[in-house]
């Protein structure tokens, strides 16, 4: 049995054999260590069928230097996640900053301290493994959750076909079905969020009527609004929405629904009891959607309102609502910003591209032309 197959693979890249020898001696007991004496050879090993789990990379080398090797590895989806530690005699902060800006995770300076080398490599490999396990568990949970949800979504439709079901029962089944679709959308949007964060998401942009999505959000959040004695008011170009209202945009339906649902829920939770949340749409060159509530964002959160895990005063809050909304809107080619004050409350403004052709057709159909 080859014990190296069960040990993490470490690639050492240095044109000086004596440096390779020192690092090899420090790491060979715990890792499967391979060496490359040039940037060209390092790239060949990294792009092989069995890439290294971590790379210790010298900066100053003839031919392709360490900075260029790092840049090429980070620009390729196949090798972008491999952690890179620069090993160098350079101590200038500018050199360190340049390396980190290219995607390196750490620096080890020469001459090497074997204990520090082992500790740095071990710590970074543990972090990578922890993230891999977390991602695997997340993906399995999302996949496994979809199977029972199919029963929650489809069975109410089947039961409602029975003539023995009354109006109250039908309403309850509608609520179950809506809850199932809401959970399914949450699972699907979390998968998209994962892809966006990894840089692998490719949006399939289509034309859709956002009024239909807002009506679904209103139905979904009505119980929360009623419990807080808050009214959600919608308007399109200063007119009240009705069943024939339309505003077509170019985007991704699921991402739009998830983003606006999160932002509206956030506005409800931040509103004073008995107030109202306004969702105003303006259709011009772009679709501008403003979500306003009368609460003010705490001063300590105003500068990082859209950052990950930022939350305040909400029991059980994850701090992912506004963060995911920003990523979703920007993934569709839109923009999002927030302004807040004690006098005016808080407004989150979302802008996404309009579909002028569909809006023109709908106008003609509505007017009977």
């Amino acid at each position: 049995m080859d014990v190296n197959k069960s040990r993490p693979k470490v690639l050492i890249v240095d044109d000086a054999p004596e440096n390779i020898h020192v690092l090899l001696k420090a790491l060979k007991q715990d890792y499967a260590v391979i060496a490359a004496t040039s940037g060209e050879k390092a790239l060949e090993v990294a792009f092989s069928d069995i890439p290294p789990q971590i790379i210790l990379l010298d900066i100053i080398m003839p031919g392709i230097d360490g900075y260029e090797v790092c840049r090429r590895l980070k620009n390729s989806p196949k090798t972008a996640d491999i952690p890179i530690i620069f090993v160098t005699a350079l101590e200038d902060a500018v050199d360190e900053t340049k390396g980190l800006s290219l995607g390196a995770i750490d620096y080890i300076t020469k001459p090497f301290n074997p204990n520090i080398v082992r500790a740095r490599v071990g710590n970074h490999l543990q972090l990578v493994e922890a993230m891999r396990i977390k991602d695997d568990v997340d993906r399995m949970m999302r996949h496994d959750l979809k199977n029972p949800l199919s029963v929650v979504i489809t069975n109410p439709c089947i039961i409602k076909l029975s003539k023995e079901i009354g109006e109250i029962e039908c309403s309850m089944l509608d609520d179950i079905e809506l809850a199932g679709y809401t959970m399914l959308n949450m699972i699907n949007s979390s998968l998209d969020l994962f892809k966006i964060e990894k840089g692998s998401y490719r949006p399939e942009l289509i034309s859709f009527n956002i009024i239909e999505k807002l009506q679904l959000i209103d139905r979904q959040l009505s119980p929360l609004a009623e419990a807080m004695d808050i009214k959600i008011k919608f308007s399109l170009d200063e007119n009240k929405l009705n069943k024939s209202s339309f505003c077509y945009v170019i985007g991704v339906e699921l991402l739009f629904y998830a983003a606006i649902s999160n932002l509206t829920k956030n506005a409800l939770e931040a509103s004073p009891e008995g107030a109202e949340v306004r969702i105003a749409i303006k259709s011009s060159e772009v679709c501008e959607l403003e979500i306003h509530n009368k609460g003010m964002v705490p001063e300590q959160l105003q500068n990082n309102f859209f950052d990950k895990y930022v939350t305040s005063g909400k029991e059980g809050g994850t701090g992912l609502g506004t963060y995911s909304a920003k990523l979703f809107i920007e993934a569709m080619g839109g923009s999002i910003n927030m302004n807040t004050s004690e006098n005016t409350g808080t407004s989150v403004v979302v802008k996404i591209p309009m579909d002028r052709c569909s809006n023109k057709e709908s106008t003609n159909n509505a007017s009977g032309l």
Side-chain angles (χ1 to χ4, degrees):
M1 178 180 177
D2 186 355
V3 294
N4 283 348
K5 290 184 178 180
S6 61
R7 297 191 295 170
K9 183 178 178 181
V10 177
L11 171 61
I12 299 172
V13 186
D14 201 308
D15 63 320
E18 59 272 20
N19 291 332
I20 292 177
H21 177 74
V22 173
L23 292 172
L24 179 62
K25 186 176 180 180
L27 299 171
K28 67 180 181 179
Q29 184 174 345
D30 300 312
Y31 306 102
V33 183
I34 56 176
T37 56
S38 69
E40 292 85 352
K41 182 63 177 177
L43 291 171
E44 180 183 329
V45 173
F47 285 107
S48 66
D49 292 337
I50 307 177
Q53 274 78 58
I54 193 167
I55 299 174
L56 276 64
L57 180 60
D58 188 24
I59 292 180
I60 306 300
M61 295 184 294
I64 301 176
D65 65 12
Y67 290 139
E68 179 61 18
V69 171
C70 183
R71 187 190 65 79
R72 294 189 189 184
L73 292 176
K74 293 303 174 181
N75 283 343
S76 170
K78 182 178 179 179
T79 55
D81 291 334
I82 300 176
I84 296 174
I85 299 176
F86 274 126
V87 289
T88 178
L90 299 176
E91 297 181 357
D92 193 310
V94 173
D95 298 303
E96 182 173 346
T97 301
K98 181 178 179 179
L100 296 175
S101 69
L102 290 171
I105 59 171
D106 205 350
Y107 257 84
I108 299 176
T109 56
K110 304 172 185 178
F112 306 121
N113 181 315
N115 291 329
I116 291 178
V117 171
R118 282 191 293 268
R120 296 278 182 88
V121 170
N123 288 342
H124 288 302
L125 283 174
Q126 286 177 13
L127 286 173
V128 170
E129 179 64 10
M131 288 302 297
R132 185 193 66 78
I133 293 173
K134 176 183 178 298
D135 291 343
D136 288 345
V137 170
D138 283 348
R139 281 193 291 272
M140 286 188 292
M141 286 295 291
R142 292 175 186 127
H143 178 270
D144 293 342
L145 279 172
K146 286 188 176 183
N147 293 328
L149 269 180
S150 64
V151 177
V152 175
I153 291 170
T154 57
N155 280 6
C157 297
I158 297 172
I159 296 172
K160 283 188 290 185
L161 295 176
S162 172
K163 295 180 180 180
E164 299 178 1
I165 299 297
E167 185 177 338
I168 296 177
E169 289 80 4
C170 278
S171 178
M172 294 172 68
L173 290 170
D174 286 340
D175 291 341
I176 293 172
E177 184 182 356
L178 176 62
Y181 275 115
T182 300
M183 290 184 66
L184 182 61
N185 285 331
M186 291 171 65
I187 293 169
N188 288 334
S189 62
S190 67
L191 286 170
D192 288 336
L193 177 61
F194 175 82
K195 292 177 182 177
I196 292 171
E197 289 183 317
K198 292 293 184 182
S200 60
Y201 181 75
R202 299 294 179 268
E204 296 183 7
L205 303 177
I206 64 169
S207 172
F208 65 93
N209 182 11
I210 66 170
I211 306 303
E212 295 175 356
K213 305 305 170 188
L214 294 177
Q215 290 168 342
L216 186 58
I217 291 170
D218 184 36
R219 183 180 165 196
Q220 173 200 349
L221 295 178
S222 287
L224 174 62
E226 290 175 6
M228 301 179 66
D229 190 26
I230 294 174
K231 293 184 178 181
I232 306 177
K233 293 189 176 182
F234 298 87
S235 66
L236 172 59
D237 295 326
E238 300 184 357
N239 297 312
K240 187 176 180 180
L241 296 187
N242 55 58
K243 292 183 178 180
S244 62
S245 297
F246 58 86
C247 180
Y248 284 86
V249 300
I250 301 295
V252 181
E253 290 182 275
L254 176 60
L255 296 192
F256 176 86
Y257 173 85
I260 304 305
S261 178
N262 281 336
L263 293 171
T264 305
K265 185 173 183 288
N266 191 67
L268 284 171
E269 293 172 339
S271 293
E273 188 172 342
E276 66 179 28
V277 169
R278 299 197 315 271
I279 301 180
I281 307 162
K282 297 178 182 178
S283 56
S284 56
E285 294 302 315
V286 297
C287 175
E288 180 180 302
L289 187 147
E290 179 184 9
I291 302 172
H292 177 270
N293 73 85
K294 294 185 178 179
M296 185 183 78
V297 176
E299 187 173 349
Q300 68 272 20
L301 302 184
Q302 292 178 12
N303 291 330
N304 55 356
F305 181 76
F306 293 107
D307 289 356
K308 195 172 187 179
Y309 304 133
V310 172
T311 185
S312 175
K314 291 193 292 184
E315 186 176 347
T318 63
L320 292 175
T322 55
Y323 169 75
S324 62
K326 178 178 173 63
L327 291 189
F328 290 164
I329 296 300
E330 291 179 346
M332 295 189 292
S335 66
I336 183 171
N337 63 74
M338 181 276 297
N339 55 75
T340 186
S341 74
E342 189 174 355
N343 294 329
T344 62
T346 299
S347 289
V348 176
V349 178
V350 171
K351 295 181 180 180
I352 48 179
M354 292 280 290
D355 180 1
R356 304 222 144 269
C357 292
S358 293
N359 285 312
K360 185 177 181 180
E361 289 176 6
S362 295
T363 300
N364 292 337
N365 291 335
S367 62
L369 298 178

